[in-house]
C-alpha cells in the first residue's frame, strides 16, 4: 500500500496540530494585527518546558518514537519547504512520530500504514469551529483593500449577534510570503483552524490554494483568478465572476431578438475571462458571435480598424462596391480639376450584427462612439460590463447610447454605503447609481468580506459537521439576508452573485433585469 505526498503533508500538519488543545477565549475576533509569531514562540507554545525532553519519558519511550520515525520515513517524503517555516528546536519528524505513537493502539514496531491512515482520518474529521482570515493589512499598497474587507466582516458579525462557538481569527500577512507563511503557521498550530479565508493578493492566493489542498482545509478564496480552482476541491472562489453578469446580458440580448453579436475587447488578461463567459452565455441561448476583434487600448489605428470591420466599411470586405464608389469619386474629382483623396472615399456602413459587446472602460466607450459615427453609424446598440458604471458615461448625454445596456453585481449604492460605514457619502445624496471609483472599490471588497463571514458562520455553526462534509455543505448553502438571496456557489465552486442589467436613457439609468 502506498501513500501520496499530499496525504503525507496533511498527516504532518494534522498530527502536530492535535498536540495543542484549542484554548478557550472569550474574544470572538481579533481585529488588530498582532506581533508576528516567531518560530521560537511557536516552539514554546507547542512544547512547554524543556523542549529537549518534551515529556517522552512520561508519554512514550524513545525506542517507540524511533520505531515510529522509521515507519514514517517509509511512508513518503516530508514537506521540507513548510518545515523551513515551522521548524522548532525539536525535530518536526520526531514530534510527529511522538504523536503517532500516542494515537496508535499498537506499538510502532507492529503498526502499519493502515494504522497511520486511521489516525489521520480521525483528525481530518475534526471541526474546531475556528475560521482563519489572512489579509495583507500592513502590506505596501494593500492596507486599504484589507480595511475594506474587514469593514464587511465587522458588518456581518454585528448583524449575526451571537456567533455561538464559532470563532474568527484574523492575521496580518504583511504582504510578503514570509508573513503569509508565519500567519498560516499561527492559525494552524495555535488556533487549530477548520476553515481559511484570504488570498486577496495573487501571490498569497497561490500559496493558500496550495496548502489548502495539502492540509485538506476548505478555503474561501478572495481572488478573481480561476486557475486556483483547478484540481483542488478545497478551494471555493468568493469573488464576483463574469458568468452571472454575462448570463444576464445574454438574456436581455435574447429578449430583444438579437441573433448576431460582435465582440470588441481590449488586449488585456483581465478581460479574457469576461469575453469567454459572454460567448458561452450567448451560445447557450442560440445567439451567434459573428466577430471577435481585439484592439490596443488607446491606440487609434487598432481601435479604428476594429470599428471599420464591424461596420463593414473596409474595402476588402466589399471590394466591388468600393471600386464603384472609387470610380464615382474619381470622375467627380476630374470634373472639377482636383486630385482624388482616397481617404475621403468611404463605404456606407452595412453591419451584419445586431449589437456590439464592448467590455471596456467608460472613457473608451465614449471614444468608440466617435469612431462609429465616423464610419457612418449614428445609432447602434452597445453592450457593456460594470466598467461602464460612471456618471461620465451619460453626462453629457449622447443619443447613440439610447438602446445600449450593461450589467453590474451592485444595484443601488445608497444602502451599501450606509451598511459599510460610508454614512457621509450616503447622506450627501446622489449615490443611488454612481459613486466615485474609490468608494465603488470599497463597496466591492466589503461585499466580499461580508459574504466570507456570513458563509463561515453558517458553515461552522454545527459542531458535529465533519470537515470532509464541508465540501458538500458549501455547494448546497443558501444565503438569505438583506443583500443575498442566492445559492452561494455554482457546481464548479465559483461563487454566485446577483446581477443587475441597466439601460441608458436621457442622462439616467433604469433597471432592465435583476437576477
Amino acid at each position: 500500500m502506498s501513500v501520496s505526498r499530499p496525504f503525507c503533508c496533511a498527516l504532518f500538519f494534522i498530527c502536530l496540530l492535535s498536540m495543542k488543545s484549542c484554548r478557550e477565549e472569550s474574544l470572538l475576533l481579533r481585529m488588530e494585527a498582532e506581533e508576528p509569531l516567531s518560530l521560537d514562540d511557536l516552539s514554546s507554545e507547542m512544547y512547554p518546558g524543556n523542549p529537549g525532553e518534551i515529556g517522552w519519558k512520561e508519554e512514550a519511550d524513545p525506542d517507540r518514537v524511533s520505531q515510529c520515525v522509521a515507519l514514517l520515513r517509509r511512508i513518503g517524503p516530508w514537506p521540507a519547504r513548510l518545515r523551513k517555516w515551522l521548524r522548532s528546536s525539536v525535530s518536526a519528524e520526531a514530534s510527529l512520530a511522538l504523536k503517532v505513537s500516542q494515537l496508535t493502539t499498537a506499538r510502532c514496531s507492529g503498526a502499519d500504514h493502515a494504522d497511520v491512515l486511521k489516525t489521520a482520518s480521525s483528525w481530518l474529521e475534526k471541526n474546531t469551529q475556528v475560521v482563519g482570515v489572512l489579509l495583507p493589512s500592513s502590506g505596501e499598497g494593500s492596507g486599504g483593500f484589507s480595511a475594506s474587507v474587514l469593514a464587511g466582516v465587522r458588518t456581518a458579525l454585528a448583524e449575526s449577534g451571537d456567533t455561538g462557538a464559532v470563532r474568527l481569527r484574523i492575521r496580518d500577512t504583511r504582504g510578503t510570503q514570509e508573513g503569509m507563511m508565519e500567519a498560516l503557521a499561527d492559525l494552524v498550530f495555535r488556533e487549530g483552524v477548520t476553515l481559511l479565508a484570504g488570498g486577496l493578493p495573487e501571490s498569497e492566493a497561490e500559496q493558500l490554494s496550495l496548502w489548502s489542498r495539502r492540509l485538506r482545509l476548505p478555503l474561501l478564496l478572495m481572488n478573481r483568478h480561476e486557475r486556483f480552482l483547478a484540481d483542488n476541491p478545497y478551494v471555493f472562489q468568493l469573488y464576483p465572476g463574469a458568468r452571472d453578469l454575462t448570463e444576464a446580458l445574454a438574456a436581455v440580448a435574447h429578449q430583444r431578438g438579437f441573433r448576431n453579436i460582435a465582440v470588441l475587447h481590449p488586449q488585456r488578461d483581465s478581460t479574457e475571462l469576461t469575453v469567454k463567459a459572454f460567448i458561452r452565455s450567448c451560445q447557450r441561448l442560440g445567439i451567434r458571435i459573428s466577430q471577435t476583434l481585439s484592439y490596443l487600448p488607446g491606440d487609434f489605428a487598432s481601435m479604428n480598424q476594429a470599428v471599420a470591420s464591424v461596420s463593414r466599411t473596409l474595402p476588402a470586405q466589399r471590394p466591388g462596391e468600393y471600386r464603384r464608389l472609387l470610380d464615382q469619386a474619381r470622375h467627380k474629382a476630374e470634373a472639377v480639376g482636383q486630385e482624388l483623396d482616397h481617404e475621403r472615399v468611404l463605404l456606407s456602413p452595412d453591419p451584419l450584427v445586431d449589437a456590439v459587446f464592448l467590455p471596456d472602460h467608460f472613457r473608451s466607450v465614449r471614444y468608440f462612439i466617435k469612431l462609429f459615427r465616423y464610419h457612418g453609424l449614428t445609432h447602434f446598440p452597445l453592450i457593456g460590463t460594470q466598467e461602464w458604471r460612471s456618471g461620465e458615461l451619460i453626462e453629457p448625454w449622447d443619443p447613440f447610447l439610447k438602446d445600449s445596456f450593461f450589467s453590474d453585481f451592485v444595484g443601488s449604492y445608497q444602502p451599501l454605503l450606509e451598511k459599510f460605514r460610508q454614512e457621509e457619502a450616503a447622506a450627501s445624496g446622489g449615490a443611488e447609481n454612481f459613486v466615485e471609483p474609490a468608494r465603488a472599490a470599497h463597496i466591492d471588497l466589503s461585499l466580499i468580506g461580508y459574504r466570507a463571514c456570513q458563509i463561515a458562520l453558517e458553515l461552522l455553526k454545527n459542531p458535529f459537521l465533519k470537515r470532509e462534509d464541508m465540501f458538500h455543505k458549501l455547494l448546497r448553502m443558501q444565503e438569505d439576508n438583506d443583500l443575498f438571496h442566492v445559492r452561494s456557489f455554482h457546481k464548479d465552486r465559483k461563487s454566485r452573485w446577483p446581477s443587475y442589467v441597466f439601460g441608458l436613457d436621457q442622462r439616467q439609468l433604469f433597471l432592465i433585469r435583476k437576477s
Side-chain angles (χ1 to χ4, degrees):
M1 179 179 179
S2 62
V3 180
S4 64
R5 176 188 293 263
F7 178 82
C8 291
C9 296
L11 173 63
F12 170 74
F13 253 86
I14 294 160
C15 290
L16 279 176
L17 173 60
S18 67
M19 296 187 68
K20 179 186 177 300
S21 61
C22 294
R23 296 173 297 173
E24 293 296 330
E25 296 180 355
S26 59
L27 185 62
L28 291 176
L29 179 64
R30 296 179 188 173
M31 301 304 298
E32 302 298 331
E34 299 180 347
E35 290 296 322
L37 179 71
S38 70
L39 301 182
D40 290 337
D41 292 338
L42 185 61
S43 174
S44 62
E45 181 77 19
M46 292 176 58
Y47 312 113
N50 182 357
E53 297 179 0
I54 62 170
W56 282 9
K57 293 181 179 179
E58 299 175 4
E59 301 181 18
D61 61 80
D63 290 339
R64 185 175 181 183
V65 171
S66 298
Q67 293 163 351
C68 286
V69 169
L71 171 65
L72 295 170
R73 284 176 177 169
R74 292 199 301 273
I75 291 177
W78 292 103
R81 183 177 181 184
L82 191 62
R83 282 175 56 188
K84 171 185 175 183
W85 303 99
L86 305 179
R87 183 179 294 115
S88 65
S89 57
V90 179
S91 164
E93 188 174 9
S95 303
L96 176 57
L98 172 61
K99 187 39 120 184
V100 172
S101 72
Q102 293 171 333
L103 297 177
T104 53
T105 54
R107 295 178 62 87
C108 272
S109 57
D112 58 19
H113 296 171
D115 295 320
V116 180
L117 289 170
K118 182 178 179 181
T119 299
S121 296
S122 65
W123 288 103
L124 288 173
E125 295 177 353
K126 189 174 180 62
N127 176 9
T128 62
Q129 296 182 281
V130 179
V131 184
V133 182
L134 299 102
L135 293 169
S137 300
S138 61
E140 183 177 353
S142 57
F145 297 147
S146 298
S148 296
V149 173
L150 289 177
V153 172
R154 290 188 183 97
T155 301
L157 284 174
E159 291 180 356
S160 298
D162 183 13
T163 61
V166 180
R167 292 160 291 165
L168 270 73
R169 299 291 181 259
I170 295 180
R171 295 294 180 268
D172 179 16
T173 66
R174 309 195 301 276
T176 65
Q177 181 183 4
E178 181 177 358
M180 200 281 290
M181 294 301 292
E182 288 179 356
L184 179 61
D186 181 31
L187 290 172
V188 171
F189 276 79
R190 279 187 175 173
E191 305 295 352
V193 292
T194 293
L195 177 69
L196 292 171
L200 202 60
E202 192 169 343
S203 58
E204 294 184 11
E206 190 88 45
Q207 288 297 312
L208 282 177
S209 60
L210 171 68
W211 286 108
S212 72
R213 182 178 181 86
R214 291 180 175 177
L215 304 176
R216 304 191 183 189
L217 274 174
L219 168 65
L220 299 179
L221 185 66
M222 304 174 182
N223 195 281
R224 67 181 178 85
H225 291 288
E226 296 181 358
R227 70 175 188 275
F228 300 123
L229 295 167
D231 301 321
N232 190 345
Y234 300 96
V235 174
F236 289 77
Q237 187 181 44
L238 193 59
Y239 199 92
R243 177 192 304 181
D244 297 311
L245 296 182
T246 59
E247 285 183 350
L249 290 174
V252 173
H254 184 264
Q255 185 179 22
R256 293 191 176 187
F258 294 168
R259 297 180 178 274
N260 294 280
I261 295 178
V263 174
L264 300 187
H265 66 92
Q267 296 178 14
R268 60 177 184 232
D269 294 339
S270 59
T271 309
E272 184 178 350
L273 291 176
T274 302
V275 170
K276 290 181 178 179
F278 181 76
I279 292 174
R280 287 194 296 266
S281 298
C282 287
Q283 290 174 341
R284 280 193 288 267
L285 295 178
I287 301 174
R288 182 170 177 264
I289 303 298
S290 303
Q291 293 174 289
T292 302
L293 306 166
S294 64
Y295 57 87
L296 292 172
D299 180 72
F300 169 79
S302 65
M303 297 171 78
N304 183 63
Q305 180 76 8
V307 171
S309 181
V310 171
S311 306
R312 297 185 71 243
T313 56
L314 293 173
Q317 292 175 306
R318 297 150 63 190
E321 292 181 50
Y322 183 74
R323 282 194 298 270
R324 288 192 295 271
L325 188 63
L326 193 62
D327 289 340
Q328 293 174 4
R330 184 179 293 109
H331 292 320
K332 289 181 180 180
E334 291 174 352
V336 295
Q338 295 180 351
E339 293 186 5
L340 176 64
D341 185 358
H342 288 75
E343 292 185 359
R344 298 178 66 87
V345 180
L346 298 175
L347 287 164
S348 59
D350 185 26
L352 299 180
V353 296
D354 302 308
V356 172
F357 179 54
L358 186 56
D360 203 349
H361 194 267
F362 64 88
R363 291 192 178 92
S364 296
V365 176
R366 282 282 194 179
Y367 188 73
F368 269 108
I369 291 175
K370 295 179 180 179
L371 290 177
F372 277 114
R373 280 205 172 96
Y374 173 77
H375 286 275
L377 286 169
T378 58
H379 174 261
F380 201 67
L382 303 179
I383 304 172
T385 59
Q386 69 273 16
E387 292 183 88
W388 281 28
R389 192 161 184 175
S390 170
E392 295 182 44
L393 178 66
I394 59 176
E395 184 63 46
W397 171 246
D398 192 324
F400 192 98
L401 291 167
K402 185 176 185 304
D403 292 324
S404 299
F405 55 93
F406 71 93
S407 62
D408 197 358
F409 56 88
V410 173
S412 171
Y413 279 111
Q414 191 83 20
L416 297 179
L417 289 169
E418 297 171 357
K419 179 182 283 288
F420 298 126
R421 302 186 180 183
Q422 297 284 305
E423 293 89 349
E424 181 180 348
S428 65
E432 182 72 19
N433 291 319
F434 304 111
V435 294
E436 56 269 32
R439 294 193 188 277
H442 171 79
I443 291 297
D444 296 347
L445 292 168
S446 296
L447 283 171
I448 293 174
Y450 180 86
R451 290 196 75 184
C453 187
Q454 290 276 13
I455 291 172
L457 293 175
E458 177 65 23
L459 178 68
L460 299 184
K461 68 180 182 181
N462 178 9
F464 303 105
L465 178 67
K466 297 179 180 179
R467 190 185 299 181
E468 63 183 16
D469 295 329
M470 291 180 185
F471 173 88
H472 302 288
K473 178 70 179 289
L474 282 169
L475 287 180
R476 296 192 304 268
M477 185 173 292
Q478 180 79 27
E479 294 175 73
D480 189 15
N481 52 63
D482 60 341
L483 292 184
F484 300 99
H485 303 276
V486 295
R487 179 167 286 189
S488 300
F489 295 96
H490 294 280
K491 291 182 179 179
D492 58 5
R493 292 171 282 112
K494 298 174 186 175
S495 55
R496 294 175 181 265
W497 289 78
S499 54
Y500 302 82
V501 180
F502 294 98
L504 309 164
D505 188 25
Q506 295 296 326
R507 301 184 179 89
Q508 65 181 356
L509 302 185
F510 61 93
L511 185 64
I512 298 176
R513 176 189 176 93
K514 177 185 176 181
S515 56

